[in-house]
Amino acid sequence: MSSRIKDKKIENIVSMYYADMQNAEAYESKVRYYNENKHRMKRDFTKEIQDIKEIVSEIRFKNKHLEEIINSLAPEEKKYVELKYKCKFSVTQIEDKMYIKDRSYYRIRKKILNHLDSALYLN
């Protein structure tokens, strides 16, 4: 597999991780709302709450390995990952936010992608 295709594959995995985490947070917010307002609701949402909790558990379990990998990155690398994949910043925005130049941006990017590739065992 070419380096470029592998890099895109890794970037898609990290993007999906942040999308999953956002979904998990939305589900957890829904559960909090149900729990805070259950005395006002006519319908019993116990089964739905349980189903949502199971979905959140599955999301978190599926993404645990990648979460640990991201948390093990150096602070500068972790900041890059969050800006790029969680906040969806452009190259220029990331460079401005991190106070780095093009060369440093691409060096950090490649270092992270190589690390993720080896840690995720992609072939």
Side-chain angles (χ1 to χ4, degrees):
M1 182 181 322
S2 77
S3 176
R4 202 171 199 174
I5 293 171
K6 193 182 286 190
D7 290 352
K8 281 294 177 196
K9 186 175 181 179
I10 293 166
E11 289 184 320
N12 287 337
I13 290 169
V14 178
S15 293
M16 287 302 301
Y17 162 78
Y18 280 110
D20 281 351
M21 291 300 103
Q22 189 174 15
N23 288 336
E25 288 175 21
Y27 283 129
E28 289 170 340
S29 175
K30 191 173 186 179
V31 168
R32 277 193 304 278
Y33 176 81
Y34 285 155
N35 285 331
E36 290 169 2
N37 296 293
K38 61 182 160 192
H39 61 282
R40 295 185 210 160
M41 297 181 196
K42 295 178 183 176
R43 200 173 117 216
D44 183 20
F45 287 94
T46 307
K47 172 73 172 119
E48 188 171 345
I49 290 171
Q50 188 58 37
D51 292 345
I52 292 171
K53 286 181 178 180
E54 286 177 21
I55 292 168
V56 170
S57 292
E58 289 172 10
I59 290 171
R60 297 221 181 269
F61 179 78
K62 177 181 96 173
N63 290 292
K64 189 66 178 164
H65 181 61
L66 185 55
E67 180 180 8
E68 290 173 358
I69 294 167
I70 291 171
N71 286 335
S72 73
L73 295 172
E76 179 183 57
E77 296 167 342
K78 194 185 299 187
K79 184 175 182 177
Y80 169 88
V81 169
E82 288 180 1
L83 293 174
K84 175 78 174 163
Y85 305 106
K86 183 178 182 182
C87 301
K88 300 194 185 314
F89 279 16
S90 68
V91 173
T92 308
Q93 289 173 312
I94 293 170
E95 290 172 350
D96 290 346
K97 196 81 163 167
M98 293 180 69
Y99 305 107
I100 58 175
K101 302 241 187 255
D102 269 357
R103 193 173 199 176
S104 294
Y105 171 88
Y106 289 105
R107 178 188 50 78
I108 293 168
R109 178 182 177 271
K110 194 61 185 167
K111 183 178 178 186
I112 291 168
L113 292 174
N114 287 338
H115 177 71
L116 289 171
D117 180 35
S118 64
L120 292 172
Y121 312 111
L122 297 177
N123 291 322

